[in-house]
Amino acid sequence: MEFQKFFLGFAHVSPNLEIQNHVNSSRFKSISFLNLRFYSKRSQIQVNLSSVKINTVPDQETLKSVLEVAKRIAKEAGGLVKSKSGASVLQTKLNSKDLLTQVDKESQELIEARIKEYFPLHRVLGEESVSPGADSSISALSRALNDSKNSPWLWCIDPIDGTINFIHRMPLSAVSIGICYQNQLVIGVIYDPFHDELFYASKNNGAFLNNESNRLILSSNPKPLHDILACTGSPTSLQSIQPVLRAMTALMPSIRTFRLLGSAAIMMAWVAAGRVDCYFEPDLHSWDIAAGAVLLEESGGVLGDLRGSKFDIQTRALIASGSSDIHNKIYTILKDANVTGLDPI
């Protein structure tokens, strides 16, 4: 029997059926996703979810399939964002530095709709679906990581990273899509529609800019402090003002300069591309860092927690560096300046 393969977030079905991703196929008469029933031209095959064995790490063909869809979605959402630059503020969330536009909502709705079209069982954690504030963000991520009964896949999306830049018509915003499998980050896509730059990476496959002929590979050679360009975020709360100021005061006498670009996704992508040497921030959300973390790891960069812990998707006090040499130098200075996260209220 000739059977067209289709991927739904897992790779192998017992006993001998392999399901992979070939979307928009005309070879199917119909697909019922609710009970995972698949039809070929000549007969019906029903897949029992209990018979599906989910590997700890997805195979490379699966990763490539999901990555290609994520790239396509990011570019479509980016086109929407670019076409509506300068949109007015729809809502003030925590404060005047934490804003929402109608385009944030439209971009997230588009991304979520496309994910559901391609991968109906995949879970999604998007910024605009979570109440503002660190506590809400932490709780939402915890729920998402623990709710893996239906699928091991979790998409962490920021529909417009750099909303204030977007509102002010500054061309420094991006669509950010980070994807976890079994709670481990495996795919990262960041699309800057204003410069048409698509940064993407998948686990053990490298990081790239726009196409696979332009691979991002960071140098591990030592770099003197006076040549380092560092980035951080503009403080958005009283708790973050002093840590950022302490960091700048401690680092500025030694490094070349600072930049505050207003988009965590772009700053992480630029570290992966070698344009920026180090980026840190006292408090970030999972959707801010998920995509950039995969880019950094696959380009040879170093990720860490300002508190000294090992980096993972739940890290909030981030330091991302272009090499272990840069990381150790900057982290030591920040630690000595007591820049380990938010200050207590």
Side-chain angles (χ1 to χ4, degrees), residues 190 196-200 207-216 273 275:
I190 294 173
D196 194 24
E197 289 192 322
L198 181 69
F199 301 86
Y200 63 93
F208 303 90
L209 173 56
N210 288 334
N211 56 68
E212 294 191 4
S213 65
N214 190 11
R215 184 166 184 171
L216 305 178
R275 301 173 186 174

Side-chain angles (χ1 to χ4, degrees), residues 72-88 100-111 127-128 157-177 190-196 263 266:
R72 192 180 311 170
I73 293 172
K75 293 207 74 169
E76 184 180 358
L80 169 68
V81 171
K82 183 179 179 181
S83 70
K84 298 189 176 184
S85 178
S88 58
L100 174 71
T101 72
Q102 181 62 33
V103 188
D104 290 86
K105 296 180 66 175
E106 291 175 5
S107 178
Q108 179 159 317
E109 288 170 359
L110 185 156
I111 294 169
E127 178 180 12
E128 307 313 333
I157 60 174
D158 193 338
I160 305 179
D161 189 72
T163 297
I164 291 181
N165 289 347
F166 173 74
I167 291 168
H168 288 270
R169 294 187 173 87
M170 295 174 62
L172 279 171
S173 302
V175 175
S176 182
I177 299 175
I190 294 173
Y191 181 53
D192 173 0
F194 299 98
H195 302 94
D196 194 24
S263 167
I266 287 179

Side-chain angles (χ1 to χ4, degrees), residues 53-87:
K53 295 181 179 180
I54 301 175
N55 297 323
T56 304
V57 179
D59 62 81
Q60 292 304 311
E61 190 171 357
T62 297
L63 274 178
K64 183 178 179 180
S65 298
V66 180
L67 172 61
E68 288 305 311
V69 172
K71 288 161 60 178
R72 192 180 311 170
I73 293 172
K75 293 207 74 169
E76 184 180 358
L80 169 68
V81 171
K82 183 179 179 181
S83 70
K84 298 189 176 184
S85 178

